[in-house]
Amino acid sequence: MNDTTPKSDDQQELSSDEVRTPEAVEPERIFLVVVDDSEEMQIALRFACRRAEHTGGRVALLYVIESTEFTHWMSVGDLIQEEAREQAEKVLDDLLENVQEMSGKMPVVYIREGDRRDELLKLIDEEEQISILVLAARAGSGGPGPLVSALTGKFVGKIHVPITLVPDNLTIEEIDMIS
């Protein structure tokens, strides 16, 4: 069949093996790391940064300020929460440059208040762009840690993103090699 429709100057003829599609922007993969003071968090962070760098993704950091039940003197409770918030911001500020250097991009930062597990689950439900949760698991006799135990145990059905568990006995070289 012969197409006799006149073509304007800005229309181009496509050969049979060319297909013109609108440029689709693929959403960025977000690797979420829960920030705490554990040694294994550094392992999870390195793995997430390296994966983000190699896949064009971005790292997200979640810091959860544990709620305090200090109701006798409200002003003291407020002061404790304010100090905890300042501490969270300081910890995250210390990590930002390191994460940007390792991953090539500034991380997304979340600060929440409450129970770590509950706030993590809420964040993953609210932020659809989070693609993967990266946690490090203690390899020793103490077990993998309470968050890993909860999320791979009775709360596994409440999480709708893949979880990457990185054993804390890996060396930096091994992490770099596999990520």
Side-chain angles (χ1 to χ4, degrees):
M1 187 162 159
N2 199 355
D3 182 27
T4 59
T5 309
K7 307 239 184 294
S8 67
D9 291 341
D10 61 339
Q11 290 178 321
Q12 296 176 0
E13 195 86 29
L14 295 178
S15 69
S16 61
D17 58 347
E18 290 180 308
V19 177
R20 182 176 294 168
T21 58
E23 288 187 31
V25 177
E26 221 173 281
E28 204 169 37
R29 293 178 75 188
I30 303 290
F31 296 84
L32 179 62
V33 176
V34 179
V35 176
D36 59 20
D37 59 359
S38 69
E39 289 180 30
E40 58 265 17
M41 187 278 300
Q42 292 294 332
I43 302 291
L45 185 61
R46 182 161 190 100
F47 182 89
C49 287
R50 300 291 295 179
R51 288 294 300 145
E53 178 188 34
H54 292 125
T55 62
R58 181 177 301 260
V59 173
L61 304 173
L62 169 63
Y63 189 105
V64 179
I65 301 167
E66 297 286 332
S67 296
T68 58
E69 298 293 326
F70 206 95
T71 57
H72 291 354
W73 297 294
M74 257 334 225
S75 60
V76 174
D78 291 344
L79 181 61
I80 291 170
Q81 286 304 101
E82 184 179 322
E83 288 174 354
R85 176 90 181 181
E86 289 173 4
Q87 175 63 23
E89 290 173 0
K90 181 186 179 321
V91 168
L92 291 168
D93 282 345
D94 291 345
L95 291 174
L96 290 179
E97 187 176 327
N98 190 22
V99 170
Q100 183 177 13
E101 186 178 303
M102 281 193 291
S103 71
K105 295 180 182 175
M106 280 300 281
V108 179
V109 173
Y110 300 98
I111 298 177
R112 298 280 181 111
E113 212 173 290
D115 177 74
R116 184 173 286 131
R117 181 199 64 229
D118 294 343
E119 292 304 318
L120 170 62
L121 292 172
K122 283 184 207 172
L123 177 65
I124 290 172
D125 282 342
E126 295 167 4
E127 299 294 333
E128 292 179 7
Q129 73 271 22
I130 294 173
S131 308
I132 298 170
L133 173 61
V134 180
L135 299 171
R138 284 191 305 257
S141 61
L147 193 55
V148 171
S149 295
L151 295 177
T152 58
K154 75 180 205 178
F155 290 93
V156 72
K158 295 191 181 276
I159 194 160
H160 59 84
V161 297
I163 302 172
T164 298
L165 294 178
V166 185
D168 74 341
N169 58 0
L170 294 177
T171 65
I172 289 173
E173 293 79 19
E174 289 171 324
I175 291 170
D176 290 350
M177 187 176 66
I178 64 173
S179 59

